[in-house]
Amino acid sequence: MQNFPRYQDKTYCSNHQKKNTAPACVFASLNLPEDETIFIVPSDHYISQIDKFWQCVETAQKFIENHEGIITFGIVPTRVETAYGYIQSNERIESNIFRVIKFHEKPDHDTALLYIQKGNYFWNSGMFMYKNEYFIEQMKKHSPQVIEPFLRCTDIESIYQKVPSISIDYALMEKTDQIYMVKADFIWSDVGNFKSLKDLGTQNSNYTVLENSENVFVKTTKPTIVIGVDNLVIVESENGILVCDMDQLDKLRNALKKLDQK
């Protein structure tokens, strides 16, 4: 990894202030050469077909070398999924490159089903590639409130106190015009909930017995017996117990907010 010259030769930045992805992308970009091609990749996603992944990366890199803009990776959906955002694509630019029309928030079940049926909607992987000079220019144009604190100061703690908490999707991807997409058909998961863990092969806890029950995920410290129910998540932690329909895990965040109010 290259060092970040403006920040005391660090190759990474760890900060206790959670300010989402846009400030992190800006921090990296301002510490790399303007002619650099930058690839933003979440650190906690699962990709099993590495060869296919790198083929898509090479396709994106070749495209961005000859086109001005930002390219994202749209995952070919394999099911109706309400836990992911979607990318709506349009015309094909090259064999596996498409123009992006719009980014969509996580849909309800009926909307997600409609996306799948239309065939030009893809899961938003959160991976982006761009030429650094173009990215910095677009951030100055569309989200000056994010980039200007970095340009005025080099103390990262002070910067993070001033910079807004905002994702790169909101700060830039939904505003800039030149957005393209690589159609990615490798197996991918953002490991965002317990269903994802089960799909990736995580086993139930020891001393779990299932009787007349299917598609049940159990993570508990005590012996657990499940009888006559399907499609269920049962998770125990030191803070509490979760029992949830597998298809309604997207409601967990709101339920936790209600719990905090009690």
Side-chain angles (χ1 to χ4, degrees):
M1 275 180 84
Q2 288 184 271
N3 291 335
F4 295 118
R6 298 180 70 222
Y7 297 89
Q8 301 176 352
D9 295 327
K10 291 183 179 179
T11 56
Y12 62 90
C13 173
S14 176
N15 195 286
H16 66 277
Q17 300 179 66
K18 297 179 180 179
K19 292 299 180 81
N20 218 308
T21 53
C25 292
V26 169
F27 171 80
S29 291
L30 291 176
N31 284 276
L32 291 169
E34 287 196 351
D35 61 351
E36 192 76 76
T37 298
I38 296 179
F39 185 28
I40 301 296
V41 188
S43 63
D44 58 349
H45 290 187
Y46 173 83
I47 297 170
S48 65
Q49 297 168 304
I50 301 300
D51 290 343
K52 284 188 175 182
F53 167 73
W54 283 115
Q55 287 173 8
C56 288
V57 172
E58 291 174 4
T59 297
Q61 186 173 10
K62 290 177 182 177
F63 182 83
I64 214 68
E65 290 294 331
N66 299 301
H67 296 80
E68 187 176 70
I70 298 172
I71 190 161
T72 184
F73 290 63
I75 308 297
V76 177
T78 57
R79 62 184 180 274
V80 176
E81 181 59 71
T82 60
Y84 300 151
Y86 283 73
I87 301 169
Q88 182 182 0
S89 66
N90 193 359
E91 61 180 306
R92 186 191 299 268
I93 305 299
E94 293 183 4
S95 60
N96 208 34
I97 304 287
F98 296 80
R99 190 177 297 277
V100 171
I101 300 176
K102 188 176 180 179
F103 289 86
H104 294 268
E105 293 297 314
K106 298 174 183 177
D108 58 29
H109 183 274
D110 290 344
T111 303
L113 178 60
L114 182 63
Y115 289 169
I116 300 299
Q117 292 171 342
K118 286 188 173 182
N120 65 322
Y121 288 76
F122 300 82
W123 291 339
N124 184 357
S125 68
M127 294 184 280
F128 303 95
M129 186 181 293
Y130 46 76
K131 279 290 188 181
N132 197 16
E133 183 178 13
Y134 180 81
F135 174 80
I136 293 172
E137 170 195 308
Q138 292 295 298
M139 287 299 297
K140 289 178 179 178
K141 177 180 179 181
H142 296 292
S143 289
Q145 75 279 13
V146 179
I147 195 170
E148 285 179 0
F150 288 90
L151 299 175
R152 296 196 190 110
C153 180
T154 60
D155 180 68
I156 195 66
E157 292 293 338
S158 298
I159 292 170
Y160 262 69
Q161 289 175 6
K162 299 173 184 176
V163 75
S165 177
I166 185 171
S167 71
I168 194 62
D169 297 71
Y170 283 128
L172 184 59
M173 301 305 166
E174 296 181 2
K175 299 176 181 178
T176 189
D177 295 328
Q178 300 297 322
I179 296 284
Y180 305 95
M181 183 197 79
V182 176
K183 180 180 177 181
D185 61 352
F186 50 78
I187 295 174
W188 169 90
S189 172
D190 73 347
V191 200
N193 58 37
F194 296 111
K195 183 177 184 298
S196 298
L197 287 176
K198 185 178 188 304
D199 291 343
L200 293 175
T202 303
Q203 299 297 309
N204 287 337
S205 300
N206 292 332
Y207 304 107
T208 296
V209 175
L210 304 182
E211 288 288 343
N212 296 325
S213 300
E214 296 182 357
N215 197 33
V216 175
F217 181 76
V218 179
K219 278 297 171 185
T220 59
T221 60
K222 299 177 179 66
T224 303
I225 299 173
V226 183
I227 302 175
V229 291
D230 300 327
N231 209 43
L232 201 65
V233 171
I234 303 171
V235 175
E236 174 199 9
S237 75
E238 60 182 16
N239 296 318
I241 297 172
L242 169 69
V243 180
C244 181
D245 186 292
M246 191 83 71
D247 295 326
Q248 298 195 45
L249 284 166
D250 58 326
K251 298 178 180 178
L252 177 57
R253 183 172 298 178
N254 187 54
L256 289 171
K257 289 180 181 178
K258 292 180 179 179
L259 187 62
D260 288 339
Q261 296 170 0
K262 291 186 177 292

